């Protein structure tokens, strides 16, 4: 139970950025680990599944809806009949609430105040990558402002070292350069998990712009990025498995061994 509680899955469902990650992780846990877990952990997983569906209308993004649908498929395939039926009812109620809220928003037809591009760019310069990408989806003017080259040059400088910068020529599209460098620096599976290992917390955490959300850890690490881990690694951690025969990626081998020594309560 301690390992699952340490993952803090439930708290992620109330955050727009983390909701899809948490749903995908819970789906993987259901598919790959549920049958091998003790009853008390299964009870927590079921509780978190209901919470995920219950909170879906509050998130109301396309990514969240897609992730919730994926979680529903896992629920239908794995959970026993009684729990499965309860979860399906919760999901259907969430879908109804979603439709009502969407209709209400359309009727209100709220217009976002238009600010000059230079002011928007100045405001966006204080945002992290996740917030910058979210802002791009708000309106056309916001989207245009988030593509300002200087914003992404700042993000590039923050995330990548000078050796990478040396290879960058003048006149570069910094947003595209950031995207390519970000993908090259991390495995695709790890990017999709929203998880990282913090050596100062000595635990798996939901990363905040690739860094531990704990401010003390950021100070101790010099604001260095976390070692990202995949959802499969999270499942292995939950099961107490140090390595997986069907996942031979190098990031599994590099995963800190201390986590596997935690007691399973």
């Amino acid at each position: 139970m301690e390992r699952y509680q340490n993952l803090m899955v439930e708290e992620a469902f109330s955050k727009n950025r983390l909701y899809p990650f948490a749903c995908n992780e819970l789906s993987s846990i259901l598919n790959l680990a549920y049958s091998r877990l003790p009853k008390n952990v299964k009870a927590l997983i079921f509780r978190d599944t209901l919470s995920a569906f219950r909170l879906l209308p509050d998130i109301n993004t396309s990514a969240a809806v897609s992730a919730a649908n994926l979680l529903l498929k896992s629920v239908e395939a794995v959970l026993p009949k009684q729990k499965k039926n309860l979860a399906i009812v919760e999901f259907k109620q969430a879908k109804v609430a979603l439709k009502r809220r969407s209709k209400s928003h359309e009727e209100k037809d709220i217009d976002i105040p238009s600010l000059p591009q230079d002011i928007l760019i100045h405001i966006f310069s204080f945002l992290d990558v996740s917030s910058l990408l979210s802002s791009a989806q708000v309106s056309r003017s916001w989207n245009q402002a988030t593509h300002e080259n200087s914003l992404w040059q700042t993000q590039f400088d923050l995330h990548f070292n000078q050796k990478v910068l040396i290879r960058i020529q003048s006149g570069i599209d910094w947003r595209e350069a950031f995207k390519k460098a970000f993908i090259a620096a991390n495995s695709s599976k790890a990017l999709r998990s929203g998880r990282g290992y913090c050596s100062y917390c000595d635990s798996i955490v939901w990363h905040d712009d690739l860094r531990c959300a704990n401010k003390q850890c950021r100070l101790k690490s010099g604001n260095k990025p976390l070692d990202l881990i995949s959802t499969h690694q999270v499942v292995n951690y939950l099961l107490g498995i140090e390595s997986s025969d069907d996942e031979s990626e190098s990031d599994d081998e590099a995963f800190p061994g201390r986590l596997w020594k935690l007691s399973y309560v």
Side-chain angles (χ1 to χ4, degrees):
M1 179 179 290
E2 181 183 352
R3 290 192 181 197
Y4 185 77
Q5 290 174 327
N6 288 341
L7 291 175
M8 297 184 290
V9 176
E10 186 179 27
E11 75 169 25
F13 291 127
S14 61
K15 301 176 181 178
N16 284 35
R17 182 181 66 84
L18 295 180
Y19 184 96
F21 291 132
C23 278
N24 291 337
E25 181 172 292
L26 198 54
S27 178
S28 293
I29 290 173
L30 283 168
N31 293 332
L32 303 174
Y34 186 81
S35 63
R36 290 182 276 177
L37 295 170
K39 289 183 178 181
N40 54 359
V41 179
K42 287 181 178 179
L44 293 178
I45 291 172
F46 179 63
R47 177 204 67 187
D48 289 350
T49 300
L50 295 182
S51 294
F53 294 151
R54 196 172 294 129
L55 292 171
L56 178 58
D58 295 331
I59 305 300
N60 195 15
T61 64
S62 58
V65 173
S66 296
N69 275 287
L70 178 65
L71 178 57
L72 178 66
K73 290 181 180 179
S74 298
V75 164
E76 293 173 333
V78 175
L79 290 184
K81 185 176 181 180
Q82 185 176 5
K83 290 184 176 180
K84 176 174 65 177
N85 290 339
L86 288 172
I88 291 173
V89 168
E90 195 70 55
F91 178 80
K92 289 181 177 179
Q93 290 176 344
K95 292 287 284 185
V96 170
L98 269 175
K99 289 181 180 179
R100 289 175 179 171
R101 293 192 183 190
S102 297
K103 185 177 180 180
S104 176
H105 289 163
E106 289 175 1
E107 291 174 350
K108 290 179 181 179
D109 193 22
I110 299 174
D111 292 327
I112 298 174
S114 179
L115 294 174
Q117 285 289 296
D118 58 337
I119 294 178
L120 283 175
I121 291 169
H122 177 70
I123 293 172
F124 292 161
S125 68
F126 297 99
L127 300 182
D128 58 25
V129 173
S130 299
S131 300
L132 200 56
L133 293 173
S134 297
S135 298
Q137 302 176 43
V138 172
S139 68
R140 185 174 298 178
S141 63
W142 283 34
N143 181 279
Q144 183 179 348
T146 60
H147 279 69
E148 166 61 31
N149 215 29
S150 61
L151 295 176
W152 292 100
Q153 182 175 2
T154 299
Q155 294 294 340
F156 195 104
D157 292 344
L158 178 64
H159 286 81
F160 304 107
N161 60 36
Q162 294 299 319
K163 291 182 179 180
V164 178
L165 286 173
I166 291 173
R167 298 196 294 269
I168 301 296
Q169 299 177 355
S170 60
I172 192 72
D173 181 340
W174 285 101
R175 186 175 184 275
E176 188 63 24
F178 180 92
K179 179 181 176 181
K180 290 180 179 179
F182 188 86
I183 292 174
N186 305 278
S187 73
S188 60
K189 288 185 178 180
L191 285 175
R192 291 195 297 268
S193 74
R195 292 287 197 176
Y197 171 74
C198 177
S199 59
Y200 296 93
C201 293
D202 194 20
S203 60
I204 297 172
V205 298
W206 294 109
H207 69 69
D208 181 8
D209 199 17
L210 302 184
R211 287 154 178 79
C212 182
N214 188 315
K215 293 181 179 179
Q216 293 299 320
C217 293
R218 290 193 180 211
L219 290 173
K220 292 177 181 177
S221 67
N223 208 34
K224 293 181 180 178
L226 297 170
D227 294 323
L228 300 187
I229 61 175
S230 68
T231 299
H232 203 125
Q233 287 174 289
V234 175
V235 173
N236 285 346
Y237 159 72
L238 184 60
L239 292 172
I241 301 173
E242 186 166 356
S243 62
S244 174
D245 293 333
D246 60 354
E247 186 176 30
S248 58
E249 293 182 0
S250 60
D251 56 359
D252 268 317
E253 298 175 357
F255 192 70
R258 284 173 291 174
L259 283 174
W260 311 115
K261 298 179 182 178
L262 292 177
S263 60
Y264 208 123
V265 181

